[in-house]
Each structure stands twice: as structure tokens, then as C-alpha cells.
């Protein structure tokens, strides 16, 4: 799956690379029809999760979207976390400070 955004990529070109990654993800999600998507934040998780969410909204296939924020994110969510926060079914954080800031998140402590 192509990344939505490379490090230091301009925000303007990110629109096109994200659209390309979403288009690339459609046949993958359609073919495999996952019951659960568990992701942790690289640039590939947003397009796959968006397509799975779109399929859920359209009634095509119901997939649970789980996002696990990195342990190094102590006070704010990553860009991927901020985006997926609005449509993930579960968003796990590993610091209580994040749970306080983002009410939809679920504090689970540190994963080992």
C-alpha cells in the first residue's frame, strides 16, 4: 500500500498521494473484507481505514477499526491518530494524559 504522506512531503501534494493510496486500497479491502483492522499509525493506515469506514457507512461490509497510538505520543496524538480519531471504533492510548485530552480514546497503559 503506498504511503499517504512521506516525511517532509508538502501538504499540497499529500492530497494526491492520499487519494492514490485510497484508490489502491479499495480492491484490497473489497477482496479481503477484513473483520478487524488494527493499525498503529504509519502513512498506510489512513487510506485502508477510510475505505473500510466508507464500506461500513455504505452498508457493504462492517469492519471494526482499531487504532493503537504509539507509546512515544505522551501529550498529543500523532497526525494519523488525529485523523482516525473521528472514525475509528476504538482508539487505544498508552498515557493517561492522552485519555484526558481525547475523550473517545481508551487508556490501556503501556503495551509490552
Amino acid at each position: 500500500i503506498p504511503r499517504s504522506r512521506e516525511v517532509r512531503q508538502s501538504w499540497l501534494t499529500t492530497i494526491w498521494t492520499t487519494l492514490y493510496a485510497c484508490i489502491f486500497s479499495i480492491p484490497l479491502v473489497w477482496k479481503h473484507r477484513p473483520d478487524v483492522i488494527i493499525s498503529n499509525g504509519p502513512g498506510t493506515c489512513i487510506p485502508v481505514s477510510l475505505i473500510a469506514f466508507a464500506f461500513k457507512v455504505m452498508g457493504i461490509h462492517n469492519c471494526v477499526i482499531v487504532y493503537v497510538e504509539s507509546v512515544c505520543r505522551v501529550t498529543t496524538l500523532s497526525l494519523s491518530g488525529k485523523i482516525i480519531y473521528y472514525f475509528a471504533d476504538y482508539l487505544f492510548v498508552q498515557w493517561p494524559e492522552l485519555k484526558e485530552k481525547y475523550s473517545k480514546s481508551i487508556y490501556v497503559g503501556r503495551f509490552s
Side-chain angles (χ1 to χ4, degrees):
I1 301 169
R3 288 181 59 95
S4 294
R5 182 172 187 268
E6 297 291 338
V7 176
R8 292 190 269 291
Q9 180 179 349
S10 77
W11 291 104
L12 185 60
T13 61
T14 300
I15 296 166
W16 305 114
T17 55
T18 301
L19 285 173
Y20 174 70
C22 285
I23 292 167
F24 190 92
S25 299
I26 291 170
L28 292 174
V29 176
W30 180 265
K31 177 182 176 186
H32 296 288
R33 298 195 184 225
D35 293 324
V36 178
I37 293 176
I38 302 174
S39 60
N40 67 343
T44 55
C45 77
I46 298 298
V48 172
S49 298
L50 277 173
I51 297 305
F53 180 73
F55 282 4
K56 183 189 306 187
V57 169
M58 292 185 284
I60 296 172
H61 179 69
N62 191 16
C63 175
V64 175
I65 301 168
V66 179
Y67 182 81
V68 181
E69 186 60 271
S70 170
V71 70
C72 66
R73 302 305 300 205
V74 179
T75 58
T76 62
L77 294 176
S78 63
L79 178 59
S80 296
K82 289 175 183 175
I83 294 169
I84 209 166
Y85 177 78
Y86 296 101
F87 62 90
D89 296 296
Y90 302 99
L91 188 134
F92 295 124
V93 295
Q94 301 182 54
W95 293 94
E97 294 87 348
L98 285 177
K99 172 60 183 161
E100 292 172 15
K101 281 178 114 171
Y102 303 95
S103 60
K104 183 182 170 184
S105 65
I106 301 165
Y107 170 64
V108 292
R110 214 173 83 194
F111 285 118
S112 298

